[in-house]
Amino acid sequence: MTSTPHVLIVEDDPTINQALTDRFVAEGFEVTRAHDGPSAVTAFAEHSPEVVVLDLMLPGFDGLEVCRRIQAVRPVPVLMLTARDDESDIIVGLGVGADDYLTKPFRMREVVARVRALLRRVERAAELGRSDDGPVQHDGLLLDERTRRCTVDGQAVHLTPTEFDLLALLAREPGAVLRRERIVADLWGWDDGLGRGSLDSHIKSLRTKVGAHRIRTVHGVGYALDDGSGQ
């Protein structure tokens, strides 16, 4: 990450767009703005931001399509903004490459905090990618952190950056139950209870890709990478 991180703000409401812009500029970010789907994709290609704050409902085409198109160009952390706390919308958003979400109305302070957390996660992922550790293998699952590739029973599986990091965290200690607070702290750097809803949504999305039986829930505690015998 550069000393002046660059954020692309995609929001069709001019008041919210301006408020987000003013806050990020005040926080030391370089800001590029867009107000609809097509201009967001163009701005991403032209300005190469390090992180994207993306409204779900946009003119032209929606935020889900924006996310699909920009993630096809290069992986980038995306914070999705949605006016509806609809689980199906959230799961689809995470599935096409969003890393986190906030439901409107939101606090500007929390938006900035979540964006900074996403950027820290990118830095940590880069450090792991430079390590000498070999691929992790468990119950037909293979994760290579150097190449960021995942296969399940020999078949390549596309994971978003956050899904990969979440699965890698569980795979480093197969069978061990990791507390939700620890996962949130390790993955996003939050230690104040934020992000638990995002974690649960990512777990649901991840289960659809690698097999629900591989990720065990221990209610009230956390999650574990399992051999399929757990529930």
Side-chain angles (χ1 to χ4, degrees):
M1 185 176 67
T2 61
S3 57
T4 304
H6 187 174
V7 58
L8 171 61
I9 295 172
V10 187
E11 168 62 63
D12 66 318
D13 185 307
T15 301
I16 298 176
N17 193 308
Q18 188 62 57
L20 286 167
T21 297
D22 291 344
R23 183 58 183 255
F24 275 100
V25 169
E27 295 281 346
F29 283 73
E30 179 183 352
V31 176
T32 296
R33 298 199 289 171
H35 297 82
D36 57 43
S39 66
V41 174
T42 299
F44 181 80
E46 291 180 351
H47 298 282
S48 298
E50 293 160 285
V51 63
V52 179
V53 177
L54 177 62
D55 188 28
L56 182 61
M57 302 303 295
L58 295 169
F61 46 77
D62 65 17
L64 297 177
E65 183 61 25
V66 172
C67 199
R68 289 188 189 97
R69 295 191 187 195
I70 65 177
Q71 297 291 6
V73 175
R74 64 176 172 85
V76 63
V78 173
L79 173 64
M80 186 174 68
L81 306 178
T82 175
R84 298 182 299 175
D85 192 10
D86 188 312
E87 185 177 69
S88 61
D89 285 345
I90 292 166
I91 293 296
V92 171
L94 298 178
V96 298
D99 292 85
D100 193 13
Y101 68 92
L102 276 174
T103 302
K104 297 178 180 178
F106 48 76
R107 294 173 296 172
M108 293 295 170
R109 178 178 63 85
E110 187 171 5
V111 177
V112 175
R114 295 214 180 190
V115 165
R116 291 195 184 280
L118 290 176
L119 291 171
R120 288 195 299 270
R121 185 190 58 74
V122 170
E123 290 184 323
R124 288 196 297 272
E127 292 172 0
L128 287 171
R130 292 191 292 267
S131 73
D132 294 328
D133 295 337
V136 175
Q137 299 185 59
H138 179 72
D139 185 35
L141 176 73
L142 186 147
L143 279 177
D144 190 333
E145 295 193 49
R146 293 183 64 85
T147 62
R148 306 284 292 180
R149 292 180 178 174
C150 171
T151 62
V152 177
D153 297 329
Q155 299 296 314
V157 175
H158 173 72
L159 301 178
T160 66
T162 296
E163 288 170 350
F164 186 95
D165 293 336
L166 172 56
L167 187 57
L169 184 62
L170 296 173
R172 290 183 208 119
E173 301 180 53
V177 179
L178 303 188
R179 298 188 67 87
R180 296 170 75 209
E181 295 83 359
R182 174 190 163 182
I183 297 173
V184 169
D186 284 358
L187 204 61
W188 287 286
W190 301 327
D191 57 6
D192 56 0
L194 293 173
R196 294 183 184 181
S198 295
L199 171 60
D200 295 341
S201 297
H202 279 292
I203 287 287
K204 290 176 182 177
S205 178
L206 193 57
R207 279 177 167 145
T208 66
K209 295 184 177 183
V210 304
H213 66 281
R214 287 191 166 86
I215 301 177
R216 178 165 57 99
T217 299
V218 179
H219 294 288
V221 182
Y223 300 102
L225 187 69
D226 204 48
D227 60 5
S229 61
Q231 301 296 324

